[in-house]
Amino acid sequence: MKARALSVSGAWEFEPEVFPDHRGLFVSPFQHEAFAEAVGAPLFTVAQASASVSRRGVARGVHYARTAPGCAKYVTCSRGRVLDIVVDLRVGSPTFGTWDSVELAGDDFRAVYLPPGLGHAFIALDDHSTVHYLLSRAYEPADELAVSIVDPDLALPVPADAVLSERDRTAPGLVLARDNGLLPVHAA
């Protein structure tokens, strides 16, 4: 498995080897040893596994967990394609406000790891794009916040005609969220 550090501190892309033959293929999208070697620690204890299905043009995010310890995520796409985006929302982080993206697709089995404090978003590039999440804690609606995916200060590659939820459409920008104390603080 190939591992590549993203420009957002602590975030990683993983690309497993795919073994095709006349029957189909075999792949291991998560491999403990490769993960631990790259990240420097084992994968978090999985508290919840979730999935979303989106039509082409849907943009979701930038979502994050507000309360400590936050929520780590291991994200894959099993069908379709998405542009997966990681945003550093940790106030005081050397990469605060920085983002990076990886195209995840059902036919290449790449994955993205996000440690707690990072924001997550994606844009569905195909109909029926299915994104799977392994989460370090259960979803708690009261602790889940969002920063605007169309915030000009972030300048994420979101199409002007992207389909957004009401929550994502009305989310505050990065600076407003920071100034109102809504963002996680970077742990030294």
Side-chain angles (χ1 to χ4, degrees), residues 57-124:
V58 166
R60 296 181 188 254
V62 175
H63 300 153
Y64 66 99
R66 159 174 61 177
T67 25
C71 184
K73 299 177 182 179
Y74 191 81
V75 182
T76 59
C77 178
S78 64
R79 180 178 183 189
R81 294 179 307 126
V82 299
L83 182 64
D84 200 76
I85 302 169
V86 178
V87 182
D88 193 344
L89 301 178
R90 302 168 297 187
V91 175
S93 167
T95 58
F96 176 75
T98 300
W99 62 271
D100 205 344
S101 63
V102 175
E103 186 173 306
L104 303 179
D107 61 358
D108 72 8
F109 305 97
R110 291 176 195 264
V112 172
Y113 166 71
L114 295 81
L118 299 187
H120 180 249
F122 71 83
I123 301 156

Side-chain angles (χ1 to χ4, degrees), residues 162-180:
V163 178
L164 304 175
S165 70
E166 180 65 21
R167 172 188 176 204
D168 293 342
R169 187 173 26 276
T170 60
L174 181 67
V175 171
L176 183 59
R178 182 198 63 207
D179 292 349
N180 287 328

